[in-house]
Amino acid sequence: MNKKLMALAVAGALAPAAAWAQNYQIYGRATLGVDQYEAKGSTGGSALDYTKRTRVFDNGSRVGFRGTEDLGGGLQAVFLIESGVNIDNGSTTGQGGQANTSTGNWGSRIGHVGLAGSWGMFTYGRSNVFWTNGAIEQVGANWLNAGAQLFTGSFGRGMSVGITRVSNVMQYTSPTFSGVNLVLSISPLSEAAGTNVNADGLGYGFTAQGTHGPFAWGFDWFVANAATPNQAVAPAPSLSQQSTTGTKIRAAFRYMPAGQIAVLAVKSEVDKGGVTTAGVSAGASATGLPAVCNTAATACAFDQTGAGVSWDHMFGPIQPIVQYYQIQNIKGSGCTGTVCDLTKANQITAAVRYVFSKRTHAYISYNKIDNDANYNQDFNGAAITARNGAITGAQSTGADPTIIAVGMIHNF
């Protein structure tokens, strides 16, 4: 059954809800392969290393539905529902049976409903915020099993920006003027606030990006503020609001029609432990950072920066890809004594992609992260790591995750 017939069949099965859709589409991606993962060199000794293991993996397959309805007067209704699937094992978990946030329920990746017109688009739903890089850098997103982890805001030692697909988002995307467009995002982060907590959590972000001839650029910024404890009830009033801020700058030069070189820089700032914990440092006892940060008496502000380069070039159907980045030591008022020493890391990615068609390609890739003795950056997600958070514990700091992979991606 071809794609149009399949879309009509599904639309008919979903009638009358789908009957009004003027542009209804089923789309997706199958991305699988075989790899070898290991993480050796742990500061705590070889007994804490992750030995080499071979895996058949799925690192981002998905199925989506999207469509529009013409409302007249230049106005459209838009909808999108995209769900992750694990084609390699048919479950909602990733490698080693660990949780995979890209799979599970309907809309597990992204989804929205909203209105669009000449003024732009406004949606409610679950959206990509901060971490994506568009055409400036799409190695890990669209081409390989993994790319430069830093470029999505990923750090070690609890310093990751942690902002990817954000739920419960109101998002406005502007039209493109003179090659430039803007994206504004806002999300309440305290919908599930319980007792003794104020419902004042809030996340908000801004993206500006543009293309001018062979040059492309982008700026991404997001702040996530957690809900504060209720100041009228013990144990507070010394407690203050936890926050995480991510800032990313990206630029690319496209030379000829077939090559590109890009540079990206990312900064993560964590205050009072960040938004992912309840009164405990994002690093906490697992990494040696102060175990209690959310008090007036404890200094708990940390920041970390990194920068890197990405290059790719098409030689007929063959595309070599090289990426490199370096992360600097953690800094901030919480860095007392030797807490933040030896917290650097760097990663290299080298790959070759063979493009069979506009929808199908195969690749072979090599990825290695070189961690300092007190750092533990890993490859993101259970779809990639040997198990979820493979080297995030203090005992596995210093280990160097390495992945060699051969894979295939088909878009439909």
Side-chain angles (χ1 to χ4, degrees), residues 137 148-155 247-251 262-268 304-310 323-329 344-348 375 377:
E137 192 280 315
Q149 300 299 287
L150 171 71
F151 295 166
T152 63
S154 174
F155 292 82
T247 305
K248 176 155 56 76
I249 299 173
R250 45 195 167 94
V263 292
L264 296 92
V266 186
K267 182 176 183 178
S268 174
Q304 192 165 30
T305 60
V309 61
S310 180
Q323 294 186 310
Y324 176 81
Y325 69 78
Q326 185 174 84
I327 295 174
Q328 302 303 311
N329 281 328
K344 292 182 180 180
N346 60 74
Q347 180 187 334
I348 186 168
Y375 206 62
Q377 190 181 33

Side-chain angles (χ1 to χ4, degrees), residues 124-144:
Y124 302 97
R126 176 172 164 84
S127 300
N128 291 317
V129 179
F130 181 82
W131 72 321
T132 55
N133 297 309
I136 288 177
E137 192 280 315
Q138 53 182 320
V139 174
N142 296 319
W143 292 346
L144 304 179

Side-chain angles (χ1 to χ4, degrees), residues 120-207:
M121 180 173 68
F122 180 83
T123 59
Y124 302 97
R126 176 172 164 84
S127 300
N128 291 317
V129 179
F130 181 82
W131 72 321
T132 55
N133 297 309
I136 288 177
E137 192 280 315
Q138 53 182 320
V139 174
N142 296 319
W143 292 346
L144 304 179
N145 60 311
Q149 300 299 287
L150 171 71
F151 295 166
T152 63
S154 174
F155 292 82
R157 288 289 292 270
M159 290 300 299
S160 284
V161 177
I163 300 160
T164 52
R165 302 179 189 101
V166 180
S167 298
N168 309 314
V169 172
M170 296 179 288
Q171 189 172 80
Y172 168 72
T173 304
S174 78
T176 299
F177 295 107
S178 300
V180 178
N181 85 294
L182 309 176
V183 181
L184 305 175
S185 306
I186 186 168
S187 174
L189 299 180
S190 53
E191 295 184 3
T195 59
N196 197 28
V197 177
N198 293 313
D200 58 352
L202 185 66
Y204 47 93
F206 170 77
T207 288

Side-chain angles (χ1 to χ4, degrees), residues 33-37 53-57 95 382-386 403:
V34 60
D35 71 6
Q36 285 191 329
Y37 173 95
R53 71 282 320 270
T54 300
R55 311 169 303 175
V56 173
F57 66 87
Q95 299 303 133
I384 301 176
T385 54
I403 300 177

Side-chain angles (χ1 to χ4, degrees), residues 1 12 19 64-65 102 111 120 123 126 129 139 184 191 200 215 233 242 294 318 335 345-346 372 382 396 411:
M1 182 180 292
F65 303 85
S102 289
T123 59
R126 176 172 164 84
V129 179
V139 174
L184 305 175
E191 295 184 3
D200 58 352
F215 297 98
V233 181
Q242 301 163 278
N294 203 6
I318 299 174
C335 290
N346 60 74
D372 267 3
S396 292
N411 297 290

